[in-house]
Amino acid sequence: MDIGYCEKCGFFEGKCKCGNGRILLDMKTRIKVSKFLSGLLRHYPEKFRLNLDKNGFADLRKVLNILKERYGIDEISLRALVHLDKKGRFEIVNDKIRAKYGHTVPVNHKWSESGEIPPLLYHGTSPKNLESILRHGLLPMKRREVHLSETVEDAIEVGKRYSEKPVILMINAKDMIKDGYEIRKKGRVYTTDFVLPKYISILKKL
Ligand code: HQG
């Protein structure tokens, strides 16, 4: 959906309720910028001579300059994109911005937002990975953490990136926590260092 800003309604998706708001980013540009920002803050900051601090934060002004040059994006558009992101991919704190999860570059990922961790979490993957996952558990692979979803629907979306018919795994988060494993909340995504096979069951094969 398009995103915009209205003095009365604030940031909005689709159409402004009162009709006076203006569109900041159409859907296509929004997706393009979001993907680029994910890459920039998770995988290749150095390509743009961007510095991440130990917690993954980059200077907001520098990121804005990069986005301005590439896409003509201004600050309010970036703030709308961050504010309206469904998965809570990014966060702006004072004059800094970071990706909350998904990194391949080394950053301190051992932080969590407050809130209960659901007793069950889900993970969507390719059927090709199943045998290995059931044998070795879920591993971070190229990233710093393993990523888990709050709902089956979210896990299906993740799994569809790999396969038309993904496998949905159910993770016994309650037992993991009881046994001393840390699960962290990052927006709509939950992360952990790894998941042993004993906490994993197959929920469905689509
Ligand atoms: C698999 C996106 C074989 C794992 C998504 C996954 C998510 C194994 C792949 C977030 C394995 C890694 C993260 C094992 C794990 N043997 N395969 N032992 N352990 N795997 O992309 O969870 O939209 O690093 O099942 O939506 O797919 O970018 O992880 O298939 O939320 O914000 O190895 O990234 O979010 O792939 O995706 P990834 P993921 P954004």
Side-chain angles (χ1 to χ4, degrees), residues 38 42 87 89 101 123-126 129 132-133 136-143 147 158 161-162 189:
S38 292
R42 293 172 178 176
K87 289 176 83 172
R89 288 178 173 92
Y101 62 88
H123 180 88
T125 189
S126 161
N129 298 333
S132 166
I133 291 174
H136 305 291
L138 280 170
L139 304 172
M141 309 307 272
K142 290 189 182 131
R143 304 196 199 244
H147 295 72
V158 176
R161 287 156 56 244
Y162 301 104
V189 171

Side-chain angles (χ1 to χ4, degrees), residues 11-79:
F11 292 125
F12 65 87
E13 255 185 322
K15 284 204 168 88
C16 169
K17 276 199 196 95
C18 77
N20 291 324
R22 68 185 169 104
I23 297 294
L24 296 166
L25 297 175
D26 61 47
M27 187 174 73
K28 259 175 115 176
T29 314
R30 177 191 186 185
I31 293 171
K32 208 160 53 181
V33 175
S34 174
K35 288 200 164 157
F36 173 77
L37 196 58
S38 292
L40 181 69
L41 297 174
R42 293 172 178 176
H43 310 307
Y44 44 76
E46 77 290 343
K47 261 197 203 169
F48 291 82
R49 280 191 243 128
L50 186 69
N51 210 35
L52 301 190
D53 72 14
K54 64 180 192 312
N55 293 315
F57 279 104
D59 190 289
L60 180 62
R61 294 291 130 212
K62 289 199 179 127
V63 171
L64 268 169
N65 283 340
I66 295 167
L67 294 180
K68 219 171 264 169
E69 200 165 295
R70 278 181 84 89
Y71 302 106
I73 297 293
D74 58 1
E75 180 166 350
I76 187 147
S77 303
L78 176 61
R79 286 188 183 272

Side-chain angles (χ1 to χ4, degrees), residues 108-121:
N108 166 32
H109 53 266
K110 303 227 169 185
W111 58 273
S112 178
E113 288 166 2
S114 57
E116 291 279 301
I117 304 295
L120 293 173
L121 289 167

